[in-house]
Amino acid sequence: MSGLVGYIGERNAKETILEGLKKLEYQGDSSGIAILGNGVAVYKEKGKIQDLEQSIQAEKLTGTAGIGHTRWATRGKPNRMNAHPHQSRSGRFVLVHNGMVQNDAELKKKYLPEVKLMSETDTEVIVQLVEYFQHQGMDVEKAFRRVLNELQGTFSLVLVDAQDPDTLYAAKNKSPLVLGIGHGHENMVASNTMAMIHVTNQFKDLRDKEYVILSRDAVEIKDFKGQKIDRQTYTVNWDASSTDKGNYEHFMLKEIDQQPTVLRNIIKEYRNKDGQLRAGDHLDHMHIPKRIYIVACGTSYHAGLAGKRLLEQVARIPTEVHIASEFLYGQPLIEADSLFVFISQSGETADSVGVFNNMKQLGHPTLAVTNVEGSTLYREADYTLLTHAGPEMAGASTKAYTAQVAVMAILSTYLAERQSLQTGLDVFYELQKVSRAMETLQGLKDQAKQIAHQFLKGGKSCFFIGRQLDHTVCLEGALKLKESSYIQAEGYAAGEFKHGPIALIEEGTPVFVLITDESTASIMRNNIQELDSRGANICVLAAEGISEPGDAWVLPKVHPLLTPLVTVIPLQLIAYYAALALGREVDKPRHLTKSVTME
Ligand code: AGP
């Protein structure tokens, strides 16, 4: 989705805002910036943020307050006219916006019948309305608040007034927005903390239907009625370098390599000094449910599938896993005594938050497994377990997936201990073993590159097949390949392949086969024979002890319930090298955004 940044302080606003826009996960199809000084200077460009940077390179912009935006087009083509910021008719008010207003046409008809809009966006109606109400005699804050109360739909927005270079106005309703609290004479607001980490690691969250007035030395939060609100400041222990590529060409490879360290972080965070599991004091009051529902999207959904196996085998609690957007419109029968677990790297995914709000309304307890402190799910769930993976910048999620599965293992162990069950999983020992296994796999990048070139250089559509937990990793491997290299790929249960998809096998069709479970190894070898005899180009990744000569990759053996943490690594690397070979924009795949904050 779109991203926005506002800054007011003593630094050069243009540099500070552009730095923030670049950190936002998705670089949109157009972007823009407005800098306050004597009046306001507005620049907008189609294309990437670098295009905007290029176009304003020669501009002497010394202002120390302003706003910026990177647009993921929803309404109106991606061009300069529709790019944000948008200005009121007189040019006095300038605004950036993320989200979608539902009643912009009605508001235009009611209040601005004679105003000729310059763009096709809902955003322009918002800023024209501010000027309209200000012309009715309201001061800027009152005019801003009046507009907020007129809007229906989702919005996070930041407004500046050309006649007041010392104030930013920002507001939030069902679209992410966070306040950055500077260490002295500066404050920020942005779509997420990563866009501000180069200025501060102190933040305040904004809740729906709240707005804030920012000056260099104060931030004043109010509700849409104008009532002041006090809000705690919190610290995010990420440093600016964690949002840089360092020596890596791409974030995706850096984050694949970070996974062993992330697992060790998780062990450190969830083990107390006596080596006991510490899942967070507040969890100790959590009721042990009869049933667990895991709700998530994309990669996080795949982590949920692995989590289901852990919760059922270790904690003996029946568990269902649901795609959030399906659950949202087709709620299944729900066991009364249940716990809802929301797995979400960003903690802002609209589909997941939508289900979350519904379940909270029904009174079901909620637990968030998320990577972003201060995110909606982190703030509003009854219980939270952070994945401590550090900022994930690449569009394709890698370390967040393995961190989520690891935290699901921690949760399962915690629930088992609460029921005095024998877990059969020494979770810290096994995760330690997995982190070492991951490290050996990362030493095999050349092998992954060779496989990517051998099996995928033609860009032919391909399959990933496996059984049980291997099947869940096949789904994730296929998603990684699709979203990184744009090669059509499908993860499939190996046993299901003969029930139709086998008809798609032609001479040379690439099929990746995962085998880690001894009990299904021989049947998997039969499946391989069936495919081989039909011309498939087979790439077998098998666990040591059940691998055979000719297999492309021998995987280190780890606890059966944690195999996804190991089998996913080669698939992540193969996706990365396939994308590289095809010249894709690895970290910013086309059409993708890092947190899908709209349904
Ligand atoms: C991951 O590679 C994808 N980019 C995407 O499927 C992602 O997992 C999904 O949008 C869910 O995001 P969340 O974990 O932030 O909720």
Side-chain angles (χ1 to χ4, degrees):
M1 302 299 103
S2 303
L4 51 82
V5 177
Y7 174 77
I8 185 160
E10 298 177 323
R11 302 173 200 231
N12 177 284
K14 169 187 146 186
E15 305 307 334
T16 308
I17 291 167
L18 285 173
E19 171 88 21
L21 290 176
K22 287 176 195 166
K23 305 258 184 196
L24 287 176
E25 308 81 12
Y26 180 77
Q27 290 188 359
D29 30 53
S30 59
S31 61
I33 194 166
I35 304 296
L36 286 168
N38 46 355
V40 61
V42 180
Y43 303 88
K44 316 199 268 191
E45 273 307 329
K46 187 171 172 344
K48 299 275 180 225
I49 294 163
Q50 282 74 6
D51 301 317
L52 171 70
E53 196 167 26
Q54 188 68 38
S55 72
I56 60 175
Q57 210 170 13
E59 301 292 338
K60 285 262 161 296
L61 294 167
T62 56
T64 57
I67 54 179
H69 186 269
T70 166
R71 181 172 182 249
W72 190 78
T74 46
R75 196 182 304 171
K77 294 185 198 62
N79 57 29
R80 186 182 299 182
M81 179 185 70
N82 290 326
H84 301 209
H86 287 285
Q87 274 182 283
S88 61
R89 192 161 37 171
S90 70
R92 173 177 173 184
F93 296 103
V94 188
L95 180 116
V96 290
H97 163 229
N98 188 6
M100 198 181 287
V101 170
Q102 306 300 338
N103 62 333
D104 55 313
E106 297 86 87
L107 293 173
K108 164 86 174 69
K109 196 156 161 252
K110 181 175 178 184
Y111 296 110
L112 311 165
E114 83 298 342
V115 169
K116 183 176 172 345
L117 296 178
M118 309 302 289
S119 73
E120 303 160 313
T121 67
D122 49 346
T123 307
E124 190 187 348
V125 171
I126 303 172
V127 72
Q128 300 287 13
L129 276 175
V130 171
E131 182 153 286
Y132 170 80
F133 288 117
Q134 190 267 333
H135 282 171
Q136 302 298 308
M138 295 181 196
D139 66 30
V140 178
E141 180 184 347
K142 277 205 182 62
F144 183 62
R145 188 166 66 230
R146 173 66 190 270
V147 172
L148 298 177
N149 283 294
E150 294 277 352
L151 297 179
Q152 290 164 19
T154 64
F155 51 87
S156 51
L157 42 88
V158 192
L159 173 89
V160 293
D161 172 3
Q163 293 179 14
D164 172 5
D166 302 319
T167 309
L168 301 185
Y169 301 84
K172 175 193 186 314
N173 187 43
K174 295 189 174 26
S175 179
L177 195 66
V178 185
L179 280 178
I181 307 305
H183 300 293
H185 310 306
E186 60 183 356
N187 287 301
M188 282 189 90
V189 62
S191 302
N192 66 37
T193 49
M194 274 186 281
M196 302 183 274
I197 205 83
H198 59 299
V199 172
T200 179
N201 65 355
Q202 303 289 311
F203 301 97
K204 284 181 189 283
D205 62 57
L206 269 179
R207 308 261 161 93
D208 289 342
K209 295 201 180 304
E210 290 181 352
Y211 71 93
V212 57
I213 300 169
L214 296 92
S215 64
R216 286 175 178 75
D217 294 307
V219 295
E220 199 174 25
I221 301 174
K222 298 184 178 178
D223 66 20
F224 279 13
K225 295 191 187 69
Q227 293 301 314
K228 280 192 186 162
I229 295 166
D230 280 336
R231 186 63 43 79
Q232 286 299 319
T233 301
Y234 62 91
T235 305
V236 172
N237 293 314
W238 291 344
D239 59 50
S241 68
S242 57
T243 58
D244 288 331
K245 281 186 274 205
N247 305 330
Y248 285 86
E249 190 187 354
H250 299 104
F251 280 114
M252 185 173 174
L253 191 60
K254 174 185 175 186
E255 289 157 6
I256 290 171
D257 275 356
Q258 285 178 321
Q259 293 177 105
T261 307
V262 167
L263 249 53
R264 289 195 284 272
N265 281 349
I266 289 169
I267 292 168
K268 206 162 79 258
E269 290 292 336
Y270 286 103
R271 179 168 59 183
N272 67 19
K273 58 187 183 331
D274 308 327
Q276 305 304 312
L277 191 149
R278 176 175 52 101
D281 312 342
H282 60 310
L283 249 66
D284 292 344
H285 308 297
M286 182 172 77
H287 165 70
I288 305 297
K290 273 213 186 70
R291 192 168 196 81
I292 291 177
Y293 297 84
I294 297 174
V295 179
C297 304
T299 285
S300 299
Y301 168 73
H302 297 151
L305 295 171
K308 165 186 165 69
R309 184 61 59 84
L310 282 157
L311 285 166
E312 292 190 338
Q313 303 286 320
V314 176
R316 317 303 300 161
I317 301 177
T319 301
E320 297 179 25
V321 193
H322 292 272
I323 291 173
S325 54
E326 285 298 294
F327 192 104
L328 200 52
Y329 294 100
Q331 190 172 306
L333 281 179
I334 294 170
E335 154 70 43
D337 179 1
S338 62
L339 169 70
F340 276 79
V341 176
F342 294 89
I343 302 178
S344 173
Q345 190 283 131
S346 64
E348 296 292 354
T349 298
D351 294 327
S352 304
V353 172
V355 176
F356 171 83
N357 291 331
N358 294 349
M359 292 308 109
K360 262 191 91 82
Q361 220 153 29
L362 293 173
H364 293 294
T366 56
L367 185 153
V369 174
T370 186
N371 195 38
V372 180
E373 281 181 83
S375 64
T376 299
L377 290 176
Y378 174 85
R379 286 197 320 267
E380 298 180 15
D382 298 313
Y383 310 100
T384 49
L385 291 173
L386 274 176
T387 50
H388 298 290
E392 186 174 71
M393 305 294 283
S397 187
T398 51
K399 63 177 182 175
Y401 169 80
T402 47
Q404 290 163 349
V405 175
V407 168
M408 292 307 287
I410 298 258
L411 174 63
S412 306
T413 305
Y414 170 76
L415 291 171
E417 289 177 356
R418 281 278 305 276
Q419 302 170 81
S420 314
L421 295 175
Q422 285 306 315
T423 67
L425 169 69
D426 178 347
V427 70
F428 295 126
Y429 168 79
E430 295 298 344
L431 287 177
Q432 198 67 268
K433 196 172 153 192
V434 167
S435 72
R436 287 193 298 275
M438 284 177 164
E439 270 156 356
T440 55
L441 290 170
Q442 282 154 354
L444 301 172
K445 290 188 175 71
D446 288 345
Q447 191 166 328
K449 196 186 293 185
Q450 189 270 323
I451 288 172
H453 293 172
Q454 180 187 345
F455 288 87
L456 298 168
K457 66 180 178 305
K460 282 167 82 99
S461 67
C462 63
F463 293 93
F464 293 75
I465 66 168
R467 292 174 187 259
Q468 307 296 314
L469 279 174
D470 292 340
H471 169 226
T472 72
V473 176
C474 286
L475 298 175
E476 176 56 15
L479 175 61
K480 277 301 95 42
L481 186 63
K482 277 184 279 212
E483 64 177 341
S484 304
S485 70
Y486 315 154
I487 294 175
Q488 167 51 22
E490 197 168 1
Y492 228 90
E496 270 293 286
F497 211 67
K498 287 191 300 296
H499 301 280
I502 197 165
L504 293 170
I505 298 299
E506 297 168 342
E507 190 59 34
T509 303
V511 179
F512 297 89
V513 184
L514 281 188
I515 313 176
T516 61
D517 183 343
E518 202 132 10
S519 66
T520 58
S522 64
I523 188 77
M524 286 300 293
R525 295 292 171 182
N526 293 346
N527 295 151
I528 290 170
Q529 286 308 321
E530 290 153 9
L531 295 170
D532 186 49
S533 62
R534 288 166 174 77
N537 189 8
I538 309 266
C539 176
V540 179
L541 301 95
E544 61 197 1
I546 48 178
S547 65
E548 291 183 4
D551 289 351
W553 205 311
V554 179
L555 300 161
K557 216 160 173 47
V558 293
H559 190 283
L561 291 172
L562 299 181
T563 55
L565 295 173
V566 162
T567 48
V568 79
I569 305 289
L571 304 190
Q572 293 170 344
L573 288 169
I574 289 166
Y576 172 74
Y577 287 111
L580 219 51
L582 290 165
R584 306 302 188 208
E585 184 131 25
V586 176
D587 287 336
K588 307 272 179 196
R590 67 185 177 195
H591 315 327
L592 269 191
T593 180
K594 188 65 183 171
S595 44
V596 183
T597 55
M598 287 200 284
E599 281 184 35

